[in-house]
Structures are given as C-alpha cells and as structure tokens.
Amino acid sequence: MTIIDGKKIKDKILGEVKDKIEKKNLELKLAIILVGDNDASKIYVSNKEKACEYVGIKCDKYLLDSSTSQEDVINLIDKLNNDDEVTGIILQSPVPSHIDFDKCAGTIKYYKDVDGFTRDNIYNLYMNKEGLVPCTVKGIIRLLDEYKIEIEGKHVVIIGRGNIVGKPLIHAMMNRNATVTVCHSKTKNLEELCRTADILVSAVGRPNLITKEMIKEGAVVIDVGISRVDNKVVGDTSFDEIKDKCTFITPVPGGVGPMTVAMIMENLLTAEDLKNNG
Ligand code: NAP
C-alpha cells in the first residue's frame, strides 16, 4: 500500500511552474476578490498568495467589505477582465448572502477563470476541449498520473455530485476513458457499488462514510472530503481501517488538499496560453 503524498507532488509542481515562468520570462498576475470577513477564506487566500510569491506570480487582493453590493463586485470583475496585466481572477467563495456567487463568478472571462467555474469552461470540460479545469478535479487526476495509476478502462466510483468536485470529476474521468458510476445521498446500494470500484473517489464531507466493507481488495482510494472532528481535520474514509486493502490511498490532510493551490498556479499558465492562442 502506498500513501499518496499530495504535499510532495504540490512542491514538485510549484517548482515546475516557477521554472517555466523564469525560463519564459512571464509576467503573470492573479487577482483575488474576497468579500466579507470569513476566517477560513482568509486562510485559503493567504495560501494562494504564498504560492504566487513562490512561483513568481504577482497577486493583487481586493478585500471588500461585507456590505459591498453585487453590482460593485460585477463592476470590479469587469475592470479586471479588461485589464491586460491580469492573467487570472478568483472570486473567493463563500460570498455574503445578498450576493449571487454563480452570477458574479459567471462574468469572469473564460480565459481568466482559473477556478474553472464559468459556463464556457464547464462546456469545454463537457466537450473534452482545452480550457480551465476546476482545480480540485485537475489535482485528483494529476495525483493519479504522478503515481502512474491507470485511469483508462477502470471503473471509477465517485461519491458526491457537488458542483465543485463530483460533477466536474465525472467528465474529467470520462475524458480519460474511465467507466464512471456516480453515487449520492439517494443512492440505495452505496456499499455494493463502492465494492466494484477500481478507483473510489469520495467527495462528501462525512467522517467514516467509507468503511472496510466498501473497499475492493487492491482498490485506489481518493478521499476529497474535509470535516473537523475534535479540532482535527479528517476525510470521508476510515483511513486506518481501510488502508491495508488499498494499493494507493490519499491521507487527509496531505492528499488532495495541497493539490488545489498547485493547480491554480498551473491554470494561470494555461490562462496565459489561452489568452495568446485561444
Ligand atoms: P457538496 O456540494 O455539499 O456535495 C456533497 C455531496 O455528497 C452531495 O452530492 C451529496 O448528495 C453527497 N452526500 C451527502 N451525504 C451522503 C451520503 N450519506 N452518502 C452518499 N453521498 C452523500 O460538497 P462539495 O463542495 O462537493 O465538497 C465535498 C467535500 O469535499 C467537502 O467535505 C468539502 O470540504 C471537500 N472539498 C475538498 C477540497 C480539497 O481541496 N480537498 C476541495 C473542495 C471540496 P446529494 O447531491 O444527494 O445531496
């Protein structure tokens, strides 16, 4: 059994992005918009800033008061869309309840949408065309590739059909010629379906959802879930119980989590290519 080391792969990828930026003398800039005072968001934004600093990408933060109107957020996005120096734009989620996140994020130009949430990028993923893929999904595929885990022809069972992970992952896996089954809260025979998975991906956010009985001997388990139990961050799997049945397994923390920021940095390189060639 191999524990997939997301932190190690993240460091490797950041090193590669840094090299590319230096060799090509690229001047890239990420604009992050944060509306309101969410503590978790501040940590996520700070991690993105640190990664930018490491690889040599400028990072401009727009910290807006929680009373900022939706119109002002859209106007700011419009300004950043038309600023040639801005390579990528992130509207940090969540936003205050008077703001429609999808509507605002949807106004980001597709080639600056490094989170991959706009209609054009969803369409590109759906059609298996080049575009900006949501970072957690891209990170999952990259972890499998880095560990040379074959996807083509494998039965991938995805638990969770959320818009950020589960749904885009269905297409990313199909684009890699996997056979995909999707499970959710209304799935009747979850245990049985999970036992047929060559690659089991859980993106739910429920501790101990995945138990030993649900794992086929030799399966690959990718745990995307994040929950807090007794002040500790845990995933969806009963890690110690299942690990010996798996060939590969991601820990939480330190598996999929670190990949998200690394994939934002890669998406900024793709964004620059799309701007010039798209
Ligand atoms: P979400 O939109 O709330 O989706 C959760 C999904 O889980 C839903 O499809 C739901 O089914 C399903 N579900 C709930 N209870 C279930 C059960 N008992 N059995 C089977 N399926 C069940 O959440 P999300 O945004 O996709 O995020 C999912 C998890 O991934 C969260 O823990 C989140 O924190 C984590 N996450 C991690 C990263 C990372 O970088 N590691 C990034 C993003 C998200 P229904 O559709 O039927 O309601």
Side-chain angles (χ1 to χ4, degrees):
M1 183 270 308
T2 302
I3 296 179
I4 294 178
D5 188 342
K7 168 89 175 55
K8 189 177 90 185
I9 304 296
K10 171 199 160 189
D11 291 344
K12 178 184 166 211
I13 290 166
L14 290 184
E16 287 167 3
V17 172
K18 185 177 160 76
D19 281 353
K20 274 188 197 151
I21 289 173
E22 279 170 9
K23 278 198 189 106
K24 294 186 179 170
N25 230 342
L26 296 173
E27 291 198 358
L28 308 183
K29 191 195 272 187
L30 173 65
I32 307 179
I33 305 170
L34 176 60
V35 192
D37 210 24
N38 182 305
D39 284 339
S41 292
K42 283 185 196 158
I43 295 171
Y44 295 139
V45 170
S46 146
N47 289 340
K48 289 167 197 173
E49 269 186 295
K50 279 185 204 146
C52 281
E53 194 181 334
Y54 178 75
V55 300
I57 293 176
K58 280 190 199 148
C59 182
D60 284 353
K61 266 191 313 186
Y62 295 83
L63 304 176
L64 308 182
D65 191 83
S66 58
S67 64
T68 305
S69 70
Q70 177 165 302
E71 195 189 354
D72 282 349
V73 174
I74 291 176
N75 286 341
L76 174 58
I77 291 174
D78 190 46
K79 194 179 111 200
L80 297 169
N81 274 337
N82 292 308
D83 182 342
D84 282 344
E85 283 185 11
V86 173
T87 319
I89 304 169
I90 289 177
L91 174 61
Q92 186 66 44
S93 167
V95 290
S97 56
H98 66 280
I99 294 175
D100 181 337
F101 178 85
D102 292 339
K103 189 165 184 184
C104 292
T107 66
I108 297 174
K109 274 187 183 163
Y110 91 94
Y111 60 82
K112 295 194 180 195
D113 164 35
V114 286
D115 266 338
F117 293 158
T118 59
R119 283 182 197 195
D120 283 338
N121 280 319
I122 293 166
Y123 174 84
N124 287 333
L125 181 61
Y126 185 92
M127 297 300 283
N128 199 9
K129 288 185 171 140
E130 197 190 0
L132 293 162
V133 175
C135 296
T136 304
V137 167
K138 193 171 156 133
I140 292 167
I141 301 284
R142 176 58 77 83
L143 279 180
L144 295 170
D145 286 345
E146 290 285 339
Y147 279 82
K148 304 202 179 336
I149 299 166
E150 209 177 344
I151 300 174
E152 182 164 309
K154 294 292 159 71
H155 184 207
V156 177
V157 175
I158 301 169
I159 318 176
R161 54 178 168 179
N163 291 334
I164 293 170
V165 189
K167 265 186 211 159
L169 188 62
I170 298 167
H171 295 286
M173 286 294 186
M174 278 199 299
N175 292 345
R176 292 291 299 268
N177 295 321
T179 304
V180 183
T181 299
V182 188
C183 304
H184 44 78
S185 68
K186 307 289 184 288
T187 298
K188 293 242 170 4
N189 48 348
L190 185 68
E191 200 172 306
E192 200 182 308
L193 286 168
C194 288
R195 265 201 304 272
T196 65
D198 301 310
I199 301 174
L200 179 65
V201 185
S202 187
V204 175
R206 219 168 235 253
N208 300 318
L209 177 73
I210 312 299
T211 57
K212 198 161 83 184
E213 296 71 38
M214 298 162 90
I215 307 294
K216 177 166 89 174
E217 200 72 49
V220 174
V221 174
I222 306 291
D223 190 346
V224 192
I226 298 176
S227 310
R228 249 177 206 285
V229 176
D230 298 334
N231 234 2
K232 264 180 66 187
V233 174
V234 299
D236 293 344
T237 58
S238 310
F239 184 87
D240 289 331
E241 194 190 296
I242 68 169
K243 66 180 191 322
D244 293 330
K245 283 185 97 177
C246 308
T247 46
F248 293 89
I249 182 167
T250 58
V252 179
V256 175
M259 294 299 288
T260 303
V261 165
M263 293 299 103
I264 293 173
M265 300 303 119
E266 272 209 346
N267 268 355
L268 282 155
L269 289 177
T270 309
E272 180 69 3
D273 283 347
L274 288 172
K275 183 179 87 181
N276 296 326
N277 310 316

